[in-house]
Amino acid sequence: MKSKGQTKSTEAASARRKSKVKSNKESFETFAPLENKTIVLGVSGGIAAYKACDVASMLRRAGADVHAVLTPNAREFITPLSLTTMTRNPTHCEQYEQSSSWKPEHIDLAKKADLILIAPATADILAKLAGGICDDLLTSMVLASQAKVMVAPAMNPTMYGHPATRRNLDILQNTFRYDVISPEFGEVACGDVGSGKMASVESITAAVASRLLAHKTLMGKKVLVTAGGTREPIDPVRFIGNRSSGKMGIAMADALAGRGADVILVSTVEVNRAYNVLVVETAHDMQEVVEAEFDNCDALVMTAAVADFRPLRVTSHKIKKSESGDLVLELTQNPDILDLLGRIKRKDQVVIGFAAESEGLLTHAADKLQRKNLDMIIGNDITVPDIGFGSDDNAVIILGSDGVRESLPRMPKRAIAEHLCDHLVELIARIDESKAEEERDAGDEG
Ligand code: CTP
């Protein structure tokens, strides 16, 4: 149960958000969830070092001030120039490099950091960290810092499974309280298959964001997310589909999982994630799964591009050209999943929809918000080139039933997802607060 103080802080946050409400498309604020956060990105010498550029870029685009530090071995795999370009800050390599400041480099950076992320972390650096060895700039910095340390191991599966590595990870995790971002199972650079492949760039940035934004948690909340475009079969070979890549829904599910939510992703696109992923094909399959899960969920985020129509008849055999001249398909309407669930949602559930429009974005999105009884709708203009379908970026408007109106400029879908998580945290906090109030009132009456 929340205290009165928390009520006030929720109201204040709500008021702050409302004061940011924009009435026209031009006047938006740039969204950067990791703004004011300083991250030291340590890179050790393994083949996955090349992925450090993507990690750096993603963190920087999320607003973080990123400083790369390379171990001497990492320089065999990646150049300081690449990381300087991605972080837009000088890259540090030498423990005894000349500095313009009188303070030793590693102490300076170590004090400044909110978080030290080592990605990739080789078996060697894990061993050094576990043993307190500091024979280069990165290991010295870790020892000299009070910041949270996260490591993303990447190595050959046999090395990862070796008792020495297991022991070192155990020390780092359980004695030093470092966060270990577990590697994935798959084929590693040397061709071996097993656990040791560095976690995906998205998973690493999600873990970092969740650590740095831990106060905006969704721990204990169950959220259902749909992603991708449904496929409606014509015959065993052909289907009617759409251009949705599923990237927005997957970014949303990743961001929610990063905030600690218990996520169920109902997707037409297969992804390998630690949370529950249920793969479906048709609108009907999606409806069945979503309806079965909805009752137990605190929120539904419906990013999927659900086909509005499906062929009335599906032939069990492949339709031959010789069967007829022109083929006429009769289509019938699919149920609108969001509309159905918007109607039956309880007042302790949040339902968020998406609207991809080619004209009248604001009018159509506002209409769908009201018609489908949603708490929030995210609209995007599909006629804008290079964003939306298939792209890693999007630009959206956000309309809330509580009066929220925001316009987010072009940014990575993951950043949009983080912002939507912030909204969801607030919407759920309001529900929790009114539940607590009702309980207090019931207690007073009794
Ligand atoms: N949606 C759904 N079931 C459908 C169609 C859409 O659940 N059969 C959901 C989508 O997941 C999205 C929202 O409804 O969150 C809006 O989808 P969109 O296709 O933009 O709108 P429609 O309601 O289909 O309206 P219109 O055909 O007028 O654009």
Side-chain angles (χ1 to χ4, degrees), residues 158-173:
T158 313
M159 291 170 82
Y160 184 63
H162 194 284
T165 308
R166 310 305 313 165
R167 182 201 55 206
N168 293 333
L169 281 168
D170 183 58
I171 293 172
L172 296 180
Q173 233 170 340

Side-chain angles (χ1 to χ4, degrees), residues 71-353:
T71 64
N73 284 343
R75 295 188 64 175
E76 300 291 329
F77 294 90
I78 189 169
T79 68
L81 181 60
S82 311
L83 279 159
T84 297
T85 311
M86 289 304 175
T87 61
R88 301 191 183 166
N89 276 317
T91 296
H92 305 278
C93 306
E94 305 295 340
Q95 186 156 18
Y96 303 108
E97 68 197 6
Q98 285 296 317
S99 163
S100 51
S101 150
W102 58 271
K103 289 182 195 163
E105 194 75 48
H106 62 279
I107 303 288
D108 215 18
L109 261 179
K111 279 199 178 150
K112 220 164 118 179
D114 293 296
L115 187 141
I116 299 178
L117 165 70
I118 304 182
T122 58
D124 179 61
I125 200 158
L126 296 178
K128 279 183 182 164
L129 293 174
I133 294 169
C134 41
D135 62 349
D136 58 26
L137 179 61
L138 181 56
T139 46
S140 306
M141 241 165 65
V142 173
L143 226 62
S145 178
Q146 291 186 333
K148 180 79 198 168
V149 180
M150 301 180 84
V151 293
M155 67 197 75
N156 167 281
T158 313
M159 291 170 82
Y160 184 63
H162 194 284
T165 308
R166 310 305 313 165
R167 182 201 55 206
N168 293 333
L169 281 168
D170 183 58
I171 293 172
L172 296 180
Q173 233 170 340
N174 299 319
T175 309
F176 299 169
R177 300 278 162 208
Y178 292 180
D179 282 3
V180 176
I181 307 167
S182 297
E184 289 175 3
F185 184 92
E187 186 175 337
V188 294
C190 62
D192 287 1
V193 176
S195 288
K197 191 175 146 86
M198 188 167 83
S200 68
V201 172
E202 289 78 14
S203 303
I204 293 174
T205 43
V208 169
S210 125
R211 171 57 64 189
L212 289 172
L213 304 171
H215 56 293
K216 293 181 173 175
T217 180
L218 286 167
M219 205 71 81
K221 301 296 175 191
K222 196 163 181 179
V223 186
L224 190 56
V225 183
T226 63
T230 62
R231 291 175 166 196
E232 308 300 325
I234 297 169
D235 67 15
V237 181
R238 305 173 181 97
F239 59 84
I240 298 176
N242 61 62
R243 293 182 194 281
S244 171
S245 63
K247 285 183 178 175
M248 187 64 234
I250 295 165
M252 194 65 215
D254 285 348
L256 288 162
R259 304 286 180 105
D262 181 3
V263 176
I264 303 176
L265 175 66
V266 184
S267 172
T268 61
V269 182
E270 274 194 60
V271 278
N272 186 7
R273 292 292 193 274
Y275 51 76
N276 201 357
V277 181
L278 305 171
V279 179
V280 295
E281 189 177 322
T282 64
H284 184 258
D285 296 344
M286 187 171 276
Q287 181 191 2
E288 222 172 62
V289 177
V290 171
E291 281 185 347
E293 299 290 346
F294 183 66
D295 196 40
N296 291 324
C297 287
D298 296 285
L300 165 69
V301 185
M302 197 75 203
T303 78
V306 185
D308 288 324
F309 300 95
R310 67 177 188 278
L312 184 60
R313 279 169 287 275
V314 183
T315 61
S316 55
H317 65 279
K318 184 183 167 198
I319 300 170
K320 293 288 199 190
K321 318 194 258 298
S322 51
E323 276 178 38
S324 61
D326 292 337
L327 176 65
V328 178
L329 284 177
E330 204 177 335
L331 302 179
T332 182
Q333 257 196 40
N334 274 330
D336 190 313
I337 307 170
L338 189 62
D339 188 72
L340 291 174
L341 296 178
R343 281 175 205 281
I344 61 161
K345 85 179 171 82
R346 301 188 306 264
K347 61 181 184 178
D348 65 346
Q349 288 178 305
V350 176
V351 174
I352 298 180

Side-chain angles (χ1 to χ4, degrees), residues 328-391:
V328 178
L329 284 177
E330 204 177 335
L331 302 179
T332 182
Q333 257 196 40
N334 274 330
D336 190 313
I337 307 170
L338 189 62
D339 188 72
L340 291 174
L341 296 178
R343 281 175 205 281
I344 61 161
K345 85 179 171 82
R346 301 188 306 264
K347 61 181 184 178
D348 65 346
Q349 288 178 305
V350 176
V351 174
I352 298 180
F354 277 67
E357 306 290 347
S358 56
E359 54 183 2
L361 175 62
L362 201 60
T363 317
H364 287 310
D367 170 58
K368 284 174 194 176
L369 175 74
Q370 207 214 350
R371 186 160 42 87
K372 299 192 184 190
N373 190 30
L374 309 178
D375 296 284
M376 190 159 272
I377 194 154
I378 322 305
N380 72 302
D381 181 346
I382 54 170
T383 62
V384 181
D386 298 334
I387 55 172
F389 290 130
S391 163

